[in-house]
Amino acid sequence: MSGGPVAARSQYEELARQLSAVGAVKRGLARILPAECPSGSAAVLALLSRHGEMRISRLAEFLDVDMSVTSRHVAHVAERGWIERSPDPADKRSRILRLTPAGEGVLEDLNCRTTEMFAHNLQDWSDDEVGQLNTLLARLRDSFSCRSSGGCAPGKHSGDCRSRPTDSHDGSYTRTPV
């Protein structure tokens, strides 16, 4: 590894260890999802709620998975009536995906479950500490999103990269509804 003093390297090594341990948080989130709404389905609902109606190709970009995986998630939520697929007026071969009131209800339940889980597990954290974590995680996500997609240079975040679907500065890059 090149660059930076030894102390900085040990900090980055510790960061890598801490981030690998985030798997426990992700497993906790997965456990609170009802069996009929696995994480891929929850992500579809959350993205449609956040970004509004869209084509499946756009949804696949947001999910950062291929079309076959996206199609399975979409079929799952459509079969349950949580989204509707209607013809795209601009291209009759394509479908526009839209959250239904039933889907909004499922998403509200998922958000309540997620909030309750974090409130329970972080009950000994102050509001400031939770706010700091949110701020730092958003900054970490921005750093990786911008630089991995050929966006902003280090220390030069312009916000221009925010318009690309694979850049998830608004929290859209998620596999759970939070």
Side-chain angles (χ1 to χ4, degrees), residues 56-162:
I56 193 169
S57 57
R58 178 101 167 128
L59 182 61
E61 290 176 26
F62 276 120
L63 290 170
D64 198 27
V65 297
D66 69 40
M67 284 292 287
S68 64
V69 173
T70 303
S71 293
R72 284 194 298 274
H73 294 321
V74 165
H76 182 85
V77 295
E79 288 166 4
R80 283 152 183 76
W82 300 339
I83 68 166
E84 61 183 18
R85 299 178 277 196
S86 53
D88 183 345
D91 179 358
K92 298 294 183 196
R93 298 168 297 169
S94 295
R95 298 274 180 238
I96 297 290
L97 309 176
R98 183 177 298 110
L99 197 61
T100 64
E104 290 172 2
V106 170
L107 189 57
E108 186 176 320
D109 175 60
L110 295 175
N111 286 331
C112 285
R113 289 170 183 249
T114 302
T115 300
E116 288 171 14
M117 184 202 74
F118 278 115
H120 173 75
N121 287 294
L122 302 180
Q123 61 187 333
D124 58 338
W125 288 45
S126 71
D127 286 347
D128 283 345
E129 289 170 324
V130 174
Q132 289 172 12
L133 178 62
N134 285 329
T135 299
L136 291 171
L137 287 173
R139 184 175 175 191
L140 177 67
R141 187 180 58 238
D142 277 354
S143 293
F144 275 79
S145 295
C146 290
R147 300 198 188 106
S148 66
S149 62
C152 304
K156 306 284 187 202
H157 179 61
S158 66
D160 293 341
C161 58
R162 293 178 188 262

